[in-house]
Amino acid sequence: MENKEVLLSAEQIDQRIQEMAKQISRDYQGKRPLLVGILKGAFVFLSDLIRYLDIPVEIDFIAVSSYGADTSSSGVVRILKDLEHSIQGKEVLIVEDIVDTGLTLNYLIDNLSSRQPKSLKVITLLDKPDRRKVEMKVDYCGFKIPDRFVIGYGLDYGEDYRQLTDLCILEP
Ligand code: 5GP
């Protein structure tokens, strides 16, 4: 069993998500954005975030290839499950759990832009800026965190630990 150290408590995460939801609700007042959750890691964040929004939203999901049980990015991105509906003409918000090298988001931004949404913005709970390989604009960021491998709050290591309520650093 690996050691775990709490980086962000469930309370800290909840508090920050309420702030993010307020800002997003203000920015999208009178609109009905489509939130695209990136499976699997972002599903916990997405489900908490939408319950603090006070605007109507639509939800869809896209699944991309992850690291598997490895903790470093391969740089190869593959769509495992695509969106159910067209996003043409919609106000789209990508909801990601963590931006690390940026390769996944960079690919998704290119891919989704080509489907002609009315607008496309990015929400991420976590950002590890030290490891960025491609520059990109993150519109809403919960926390900037150091270059450590984190688990919990939807994030896994080899499919374990997603159910932890705190975000923890995994010490192998
Ligand atoms: P990127 O393409 O930006 O390098 O990686 C993004 C994806 O890598 C995230 O959606 C997530 O699935 C995974 N990832 C990056 N850093 C971590 C981490 O610290 N912990 C976990 N569990 N996954 C990570």
Side-chain angles (χ1 to χ4, degrees), residues 66-67 73 96-105 128 131 148-151 155-157:
S66 70
Y67 302 166
S73 179
E96 178 62 296
D97 51 359
I98 182 164
V99 185
D100 186 17
T101 62
L103 292 166
T104 307
L105 254 187
K128 282 201 271 194
R131 297 210 346 131
R148 308 294 296 277
F149 192 80
V150 290
I151 51 164
L155 286 94
D156 75 313
Y157 175 63

Side-chain angles (χ1 to χ4, degrees), residues 8-11 13-14 17 40-49 51-52 97 125-126 143 150-156 161-168:
L8 297 167
S9 69
E11 291 73 25
I13 296 170
D14 182 65
I17 292 177
K40 299 176 194 169
F43 81 101
V44 177
F45 173 44
L46 176 74
S47 65
D48 281 347
L49 177 71
R51 283 176 286 175
Y52 286 124
D97 51 359
L125 178 66
L126 307 165
F143 300 92
V150 290
I151 51 164
Y153 198 74
L155 286 94
D156 75 313
Y161 307 116
R162 290 192 200 277
Q163 78 277 21
L164 300 179
T165 54
D166 298 323
L167 184 85
C168 300

Side-chain angles (χ1 to χ4, degrees), residues 23-42:
Q23 195 190 340
I24 294 164
S25 299
R26 264 200 310 271
D27 294 351
Y28 284 81
Q29 203 62 52
K31 297 178 177 163
R32 186 168 173 272
L34 169 70
L35 271 58
V36 172
I38 315 302
L39 294 173
K40 299 176 194 169

Side-chain angles (χ1 to χ4, degrees), residues 8 20 30 35 44 93 132 138 140 145 148 162:
L8 297 167
M20 295 173 84
L35 271 58
V44 177
L93 281 159
R132 195 73 90 253
V138 173
Y140 303 95
I145 62 166
R148 308 294 296 277
R162 290 192 200 277

